[in-house]
Amino acid sequence: MALDKSQVIPELPSGVKTAVTVGTFDGVHEGHLAILEQLHQAADSRGLRSMVITFDPHPRHVLQPDSDIRLLTATRAKLRLLAETGIDYTAVLAFSREFSQVSAERFVIDYLIGRFNMNCLVMGYDHAFGKDRAGGEGVLAELSKVYAFDLIKVPPVIRQDAPVSSTRIRRALAQGDMQQAAGLLGRLYTIGGTVVTGAGRGRKLGHPTANIRSSERGREVIPHGIYAAAVDLDGVMMPGALHYGPRPTFDEQDSTMELNLFDYQGDLYGRELEVAVVEKIRPILSFSGAEELTQQMDEDDKTIKSAFERLGPGFNSTG
């Protein structure tokens, strides 16, 4: 769902001049971080403020509605990640088919310079904007001469002999390869959500779970399965077992997200959690009944605790 228009375009203080970068920044991954580092340097060396311009909804959701692109981060999560890098300003432009017809030159004149006082543009190696993505490096180089702004091109970040990209991360997540995804993201992949009331079945089975209603479409990126996961609770990373998918043992086909935090006794109802998905343990399986399922859950907990032991300090488990 798009953000309300009143939230998407900030008012810049009078007289502020900016160094700008433009993009979808889905995932705010290692490649994006390299661009943002260059943006900081460009702003600092020129006495400018740093600014990111991004879009909501994602352009492909508008232009290719049947593509079923699954986002790594919802807009609000993306804004949080961008803020954590120390960016001065972020503008979220409402993307529509009409907006997609704005030419690269008009975008530079009306938005980058006219609205956001841009003096320097930092762009990724493969980025282009404007109608039909015509605003690539060559066009922008010409526009920088005409409209007197600096243009900085940032080379790709290479991991495993290929540039880091949101597409590569989505592919790794779709395969359940959380380690590769984390390497490309520069952090563990996370899913945000609110703890809501569930059926209480986990407690009866000896594995009490927090039922999480996801606030992000990104949860759809990972396949159904059982995962090692962790949540930062008051500065302590608490490990646990995450179930994402249906409950075939109980003939329940709707996907649920349930987190059993080891050794945690507190009340999580109503809390917003950011769940770090660490490692896929197994796919969703169907069992003959509650007893067989409980035995498997006991084995899953052992496997997950062993996984966290390999990770070392930073995770709290007395299991």
Side-chain angles (χ1 to χ4, degrees), residues 15-19 40-50 88 119:
V16 168
K17 296 181 179 180
T18 61
H40 280 297
Q41 293 179 14
D44 290 344
S45 65
R46 293 166 173 79
L48 306 172
R49 291 299 184 94
S50 58
D88 292 316
N119 277 203

Side-chain angles (χ1 to χ4, degrees), residues 63-128:
L63 302 178
Q64 302 173 31
D66 297 329
S67 66
D68 193 32
I69 182 175
R70 299 179 177 184
L71 300 183
L72 301 173
T73 45
T75 296
R76 295 186 188 282
K78 178 168 62 176
L79 293 178
R80 175 180 55 78
L81 291 168
L82 289 171
E84 289 175 359
T85 70
I87 294 297
D88 292 316
Y89 300 105
T90 303
V92 183
L93 301 183
F95 195 89
S96 64
R97 285 192 174 274
E98 181 181 10
F99 182 81
S100 73
Q101 297 304 300
V102 176
S103 70
E105 185 169 10
R106 287 254 57 94
F107 185 74
V108 168
I109 297 170
D110 294 344
Y111 288 87
L112 301 189
I113 296 175
R115 186 175 299 184
F116 300 120
N117 299 327
M118 181 191 73
N119 277 203
C120 178
L121 176 62
V122 179
M123 61 179 291
Y125 74 101
D126 63 346
H127 186 69

Side-chain angles (χ1 to χ4, degrees), residues 176-294:
D177 190 341
M178 308 310 298
Q179 292 182 345
Q180 182 185 21
L184 298 174
L185 283 166
R187 65 181 186 283
L188 292 171
Y189 177 70
T190 61
I191 301 170
T194 305
V195 179
V196 297
T197 303
R201 185 180 291 122
R203 187 171 300 278
K204 295 176 183 178
L205 297 175
H207 294 261
T209 60
N211 290 263
I212 300 172
R213 180 181 294 138
S214 175
S215 58
E216 303 180 6
R217 298 177 65 175
R219 78 181 179 116
E220 301 168 358
V221 176
I222 64 173
H224 290 165
I226 306 300
Y227 294 84
V231 173
D232 185 338
L233 292 179
D234 303 318
V236 178
M237 289 298 290
M238 300 292 296
L242 177 70
H243 165 102
Y244 170 54
R247 288 288 191 185
T249 303
F250 303 103
D251 295 322
E252 297 175 359
Q253 299 307 311
D254 290 341
S255 293
T256 62
M257 186 175 300
E258 303 173 49
L259 178 67
N260 173 23
L261 289 179
F262 303 144
D263 311 310
Y264 183 77
Q265 304 298 324
D267 184 1
L268 294 174
Y269 287 117
R271 288 190 63 165
E272 293 283 338
L273 298 182
E274 194 75 17
V275 182
V277 188
V278 178
E279 185 175 308
K280 186 177 181 183
I281 302 303
R282 64 170 174 86
I284 298 293
L285 303 173
S286 181
F287 299 93
S288 61
E291 183 177 353
E292 186 179 6
L293 172 59
T294 301

Side-chain angles (χ1 to χ4, degrees), residues 152-171:
I152 299 173
K153 179 183 176 181
V154 182
V157 172
I158 305 298
R159 295 286 185 272
Q160 298 175 346
D161 301 321
V164 174
S165 70
S166 299
T167 299
R168 282 188 67 192
I169 296 168
R170 291 189 195 101
R171 188 180 303 122

